[in-house]
Amino acid sequence: MIVTLIILAWRPAGFAAEAGKSASPKWAAATVEAELKRLEPVLKELGLKDPFGRARQLVGLEKDWTSAQTQKMWQSRIDYWRAVLLDEEGASWSDLLDFEHPALASSREALSRGGQEARRAWAAHVRTKPDLREDLRDPAVRNVLFETHAWSLYGPEGEFLRFRAEELLAGRTWILDQRPAQRDPDGDYDWLVQHPQDLLHHHSHQSAWQFKYVALAHFHQPHEKWAREFQNEVLMHIALCPELPTGYSDFGRGDAPGQAANVSWSRPAYVTHRLRQIVLTYFVLKDSPAMSPRFHGILARTVRAHASHLDACGLSPYASNQTSAAGPTLYLVAAMFAEFRQSPGWLERMWPNFLTGLRRELLPDGCHRHRSYSYHMSFIRRPLLLVHVARKLGRMDELPQRFMQFESDAIDAFARVATPIRSSPGINDDWTVAIDVRDVFHVGAKCFGRDDWLYIATDGKRGQPPRELCSLLPAAQLVTMRSDWSRAARWLFFNVSPDGGHHHPDTLSIQIWVGGRRLLTDPGTGHYYMGKRRLYGRSWWHNCPTFGAQQLPNNPSPKVLHYQTAEDLTYAVGQIEIPQKTGQPPARFRRHVFFADRNWWLLWDEFSELPVGRPVWENFHFPTEKLKIAPDGRRVSTSFPEGGNLLMLVGQPDWKLQQEETKYWLKYGGKPNQSLTVHYEADAAVASRGFGALFVPFDGQVQLGGTALERIERLADGRVRLVVTVAGKRRELTTHDLKGD
């Protein structure tokens, strides 16, 4: 007998790896079905029509139950379902809660007895917790908590649009402005199934965006139907995302190899977003009598499972731009559910990981390394959510000073580049370029006591203006030139940044706003699918020089060579280098931008080491098809009947004008707007003499007389003097001596 045991215990090295099989599989179609039948009464009791319908379909897709990966996945699912849905014993409550926590003094005995008494005691205790209903009365806080921008939740006058929430009740889930997923009327889930394999990799709500529809609908129009829908959505998620294991071994560290059925549900990014949306929505709806005591317990265990999963992933949730979501989400859970046994440990481990992620993702000047301000905005809003919750609960003194400095720097980095309407500047993958996001300044001013942010948020009605009008973010290599802090300000943005992620190849591009209107635009974001990304990523659709209709490199060695600012002149110089054939020096594009008298801009571009036979284009993307263009092509102006307009005067006659019908997008997932891009073309000989353009703002249909780029002179030391007259006032501007740069 002893010999037999030894033989069974010994296996040749690599035996398990070679086979990858489970010798006696615990889980098979019959054993899984038996477990589902044991668990499904809980979900049926709470209203689901077809509990574990997806699980049963996945059972039918399994090809090899002896696979170790298959066994591991099904064990993970079953463990998760058991842990979340079964709460009959008092020991399960003791595992979840610290009975010695002061907040549980009056309910610990009932909780320790388990069963219905424990459920009722927990539900009653939850109703004593602080909720977020009152917080939502402040629109700025509401936007920070639920990130409502770009979701078509509010109309132009700030009115709440209920249609997405109502559609959810009818079984249709909207994501952005793409077509909604239609729920099977005989089932519970809102996945898009075109093929059985779709069950393995795609769902319409993996980030749980739909929860915000329910929360805000209940805030604006309280009704039990929203609480019932919330309960149903949570239960559907429990049945739909079973890849959260109770052991939390190696899940969430990226997509598992092989046939890991829909492991995206356990990726930290999706777990993080799902958890944050569920908790925020719960604390808006938790007092509704429509939610049963049993559901309150299931919700608590679901939250604990998600949070424990993120915690067990270590640094993985903080390994990308999702850092901004992971830290605030774990803090939200630990602060709002301080009675959970794991809450102190979650916070202890979260802070070092979160700070590590912030230090990696934010450049020294506070800008997110992607130089995309929609992504940057997540590093403002989500940490602000954390600060707001800490302030609400009286826990501000627990927040590390380094974290507060990171957040302050991030808001400052946005303030310095924000457009006059308080939107993001719209470079790279940026979908908030047309959306007023002053909410971050409102909430930031409250949390940090900053009068300059309050001034920006209130358009100067309160607070004190920021010290600087024009600024350089030296690490991000972004320059902003503005006339004042009003919504009608003259504003130019100069992008000299490399590829930091989510990049458009448009280094040296500029954008201009005047009178609250965008007049030189970025093509925008479109969205990541259906080929539109290729359109909005075209270099020659941006306001930068290119080699004809060819892409610029993503990292063309960009440098801000010079920056200076004073009362009557701000001046910046940026440079890129474009690699050529082996043995040839890189072509060099150098752009000078002058902002004179806080009124108009002069652009001077220099080109060197240009290859023969490759045309150079100067590209200017106007957000309108209605342009006034002089016969010689050197005078171009917008023609809006009211408000801000822009006149562009080209200094040289030998650059030839072309026009291209183009598009620009204001909102991710939204429809494009028609626009016109003008291209000035020259060969290498003409381009090597440089290109100059004067940009002068004007209002309405007023014609600018006495305005010209009169003379361009190359001085003996290599500098260039440009003589300009604007509205009869003559001025000479000379480029900086950049020898050796």
Side-chain angles (χ1 to χ4, degrees):
M1 181 66 175
I2 294 174
V3 172
T4 302
L5 289 173
I6 291 173
I7 291 173
L8 290 174
W10 178 84
R11 295 183 180 187
F15 175 83
E18 177 186 343
K21 307 290 185 182
S22 175
S24 54
K26 176 179 180 180
W27 298 112
T31 52
V32 170
E33 178 60 27
E35 189 67 21
L36 296 182
K37 284 187 177 298
R38 186 171 81 90
L39 293 164
E40 70 180 5
V42 177
L43 296 176
K44 282 187 174 180
E45 173 193 326
L46 293 170
L48 287 197
K49 301 174 186 177
D50 182 25
F52 302 118
R54 172 179 178 264
R56 289 186 168 98
Q57 289 183 305
L58 289 173
V59 167
L61 293 174
E62 290 293 359
K63 292 182 173 58
D64 184 5
W65 286 99
T66 64
S67 160
Q69 176 65 26
T70 299
Q71 289 294 305
K72 180 180 181 181
M73 186 65 74
W74 281 103
Q75 186 66 56
S76 163
R77 293 166 176 156
I78 300 299
D79 286 346
Y80 170 70
W81 286 325
R82 287 171 175 170
V84 169
L85 296 176
L86 301 181
D87 65 345
E88 299 300 325
E89 304 299 328
S92 68
W93 287 97
S94 177
D95 175 61
L96 174 68
L97 302 171
D98 175 10
F99 283 174
E100 299 306 312
H101 194 283
L104 296 176
S106 62
S107 54
R108 65 170 60 101
E109 288 187 16
L111 289 165
S112 66
R113 286 192 281 272
Q116 292 187 14
E117 189 175 356
R119 294 174 198 152
R120 286 193 293 266
W122 174 251
H125 170 68
V126 164
R127 293 187 183 103
T128 68
K129 286 175 165 291
D131 64 43
L132 296 173
R133 288 281 307 277
E134 287 300 313
D135 303 62
L136 300 186
R137 295 187 184 282
D138 183 339
V141 173
R142 190 164 70 223
N143 289 337
V144 165
L145 293 181
F146 283 99
E147 301 180 17
T148 59
H149 294 300
W151 285 90
S152 298
L153 296 176
Y154 290 88
E157 304 302 320
E159 70 278 16
F160 180 66
L161 306 176
R162 278 202 320 275
F163 86 96
R164 293 192 180 216
E166 297 285 358
E167 288 269 271
L168 197 60
L169 297 180
R172 290 182 289 275
T173 304
W174 284 82
I175 298 179
L176 298 169
D177 287 332
Q178 300 166 23
R179 67 186 179 91
Q182 174 64 58
R183 186 180 305 161
D184 180 352
D186 297 322
D188 302 299
Y189 314 119
D190 56 347
W191 65 62
L192 293 169
V193 181
Q194 305 297 331
H195 183 275
Q197 290 299 312
D198 287 353
L199 288 164
L200 301 180
H201 64 258
H202 178 71
H203 289 277
S204 64
H205 60 14
Q206 58 194 3
S207 290
W209 287 315
Q210 76 274 20
F211 283 106
K212 69 178 69 184
Y213 308 158
V214 175
L216 294 167
H218 185 73
F219 167 70
H220 288 287
Q221 185 192 49
H223 197 281
E224 290 186 5
K225 64 184 178 182
W226 307 120
R228 287 193 295 270
E229 180 62 23
F230 172 69
Q231 178 172 295
N232 289 341
E233 292 286 340
V234 171
L235 296 174
M236 284 189 280
H237 271 282
I238 290 171
L240 275 173
C241 69
E243 283 75 28
L244 289 173
T246 51
Y248 312 113
S249 54
D250 62 348
F251 286 84
R253 303 178 195 277
D255 288 350
Q259 181 268 82
N262 194 29
V263 293
S264 65
W265 282 98
S266 63
R267 286 176 57 192
Y270 296 135
V271 173
T272 297
H273 294 302
R274 185 160 62 240
L275 178 57
R276 186 175 70 257
Q277 298 290 350
I278 287 173
V279 172
L280 289 171
T281 303
Y282 182 59
F283 279 94
V284 174
L285 293 155
K286 69 180 178 62
D287 295 334
S288 172
M291 286 191 281
S292 71
R294 185 161 203 170
F295 173 74
H296 283 287
I298 289 173
L299 185 285
R301 286 178 170 76
T302 300
V303 168
R304 191 266 302 267
H306 279 64
S308 296
H309 175 65
L310 288 176
D311 175 63
C313 288
L315 273 169
S316 177
Y318 308 87
S320 69
N321 57 32
Q322 296 299 329
T323 291
S324 65
T329 296
L330 265 182
Y331 183 87
L332 175 67
V333 174
M336 301 301 278
F337 290 101
E339 312 92 322
F340 283 1
R341 282 194 176 278
Q342 295 92 340
S343 289
W346 290 337
L347 288 180
E348 181 180 354
R349 290 182 290 275
M350 179 276 287
W351 279 117
N353 292 338
F354 188 30
L355 292 171
T356 296
L358 289 174
R359 184 172 60 248
R360 182 196 64 251
E361 292 294 310
L362 295 178
L363 300 172
D365 53 25
C367 182
H368 185 241
R369 64 188 180 90
H370 285 187
R371 284 85 160 178
S372 163
Y373 276 87
S374 290
Y375 283 90
H376 180 94
M377 197 60 60
S378 71
F379 279 80
I380 297 176
R381 278 209 185 91
R382 292 166 188 171
L384 264 183
L385 179 157
L386 186 162
V387 179
H388 173 78
V389 169
R391 188 166 175 259
K392 176 184 179 70
L393 300 178
R395 300 178 64 163
M396 286 285 284
D397 58 344
E398 299 176 6
L399 304 184
Q401 185 56 42
R402 284 183 63 214
F403 160 72
M404 297 295 280
Q405 189 62 55
F406 276 128
E407 179 66 354
S408 176
D409 289 347
I411 300 175
D412 271 332
F414 177 65
R416 293 165 74 177
V417 303
T419 73
I421 67 164
R422 317 308 186 223
S423 69
S424 55
I427 60 166
N428 301 324
D429 283 353
D430 187 339
W431 58 88
T432 52
V433 65
I435 300 171
D436 180 332
V437 290
R438 70 181 62 210
D439 56 290
V440 299
F441 296 117
H442 269 290
V443 179
K446 287 183 180 179
C447 291
F448 288 82
R450 289 282 297 266
D451 278 351
D452 52 344
W453 298 345
L454 182 61
Y455 184 93
I456 296 172
T458 62
D459 287 330
K461 296 180 179 67
R462 299 167 59 194
Q464 296 295 322
R467 289 194 302 268
E468 295 180 343
L469 290 170
C470 303
S471 63
L472 163 70
L473 291 174
Q477 297 191 98
L478 303 173
V479 176
T480 311
M481 303 175 181
R482 74 175 78 234
S483 61
D484 55 60
W485 286 98
S486 75
R487 292 174 70 83
R490 291 162 168 79
W491 178 94
L492 179 142
F493 185 77
F494 184 22
N495 171 22
V496 196
S497 66
D499 181 1
H502 287 273
H503 180 68
H504 294 190
D506 65 336
T507 312
L508 298 185
S509 66
I510 61 172
Q511 294 175 61
I512 291 176
W513 286 64
V514 174
R517 174 178 287 148
R518 175 201 344 263
L519 294 170
L520 275 184
T521 189
D522 185 280
T525 305
H527 53 70
Y528 297 159
Y529 311 109
M530 299 190 299
K532 291 184 180 177
R533 193 169 196 174
R534 290 193 297 273
L535 288 177
Y536 67 69
R538 289 176 171 176
S539 297
W540 61 98
W541 278 24
H542 296 76
N543 303 297
C544 58
T546 60
F547 278 126
Q550 294 186 16
Q551 296 288 75
L552 291 174
N554 279 352
N555 282 305
S557 305
K559 297 178 184 177
V560 174
L561 299 178
H562 181 74
Y563 173 79
Q564 68 183 73
T565 188
E567 181 72 21
D568 65 341
L569 181 67
T570 298
Y571 170 42
V573 187
Q575 176 181 287
I576 63 172
E577 294 183 342
I578 302 175
Q580 302 300 313
K581 295 179 181 179
T582 303
Q584 294 182 344
R588 178 180 291 176
F589 293 4
R590 183 176 288 175
R591 170 161 284 186
H592 304 251
V593 183
F594 299 87
F595 183 35
D597 302 326
R598 296 186 182 174
N599 183 13
W600 48 268
W601 296 274
L602 177 63
L603 179 147
W604 174 248
D605 285 349
E606 298 175 311
F607 304 92
S608 58
E609 307 296 343
L610 294 176
V612 176
R614 295 185 70 183
V616 175
W617 281 11
E618 289 280 3
N619 310 288
F620 300 98
H621 191 156
F622 292 88
T624 174
E625 297 175 284
K626 297 179 180 179
L627 296 178
K628 292 181 178 179
I629 303 177
D632 64 1
R634 294 173 60 192
R635 184 183 181 100
V636 179
S637 64
T638 59
S639 57
F640 296 103
E642 297 178 350
N645 277 301
L646 186 68
L647 169 67
M648 178 175 74
L649 293 174
V650 174
Q652 300 94 329
D654 40 7
W655 287 74
K656 304 306 179 184
L657 176 70
Q658 301 180 42
Q659 301 176 41
E660 181 182 1
E661 293 182 359
T662 49
K663 305 176 191 289
Y664 71 104
W665 287 263
L666 296 177
K667 183 170 141 185
Y668 184 83
K671 295 180 180 179
N673 298 271
Q674 295 304 118
S675 57
L676 189 67
T677 299
V678 296
H679 311 290
Y680 289 91
E681 180 178 345
D683 59 23
V686 170
S688 64
R689 297 197 292 271
F691 177 88
L694 176 65
F695 296 93
V696 184
F698 64 98
D699 292 327
Q701 296 298 305
V702 175
Q703 297 299 311
L704 292 169
T707 297
L709 203 174
E710 296 180 5
R711 192 166 67 254
I712 301 170
E713 303 173 350
R714 188 167 296 277
L715 304 181
D717 59 7
R719 293 181 300 153
V720 174
R721 177 184 296 134
L722 301 109
V723 182
V724 175
T725 298
V726 175
K729 181 179 178 181
R730 195 165 184 267
R731 183 156 186 179
E732 294 184 0
L733 297 170
T734 304
T735 61
H736 185 70
D737 184 359
L738 295 169
K739 290 193 182 89
D741 290 323

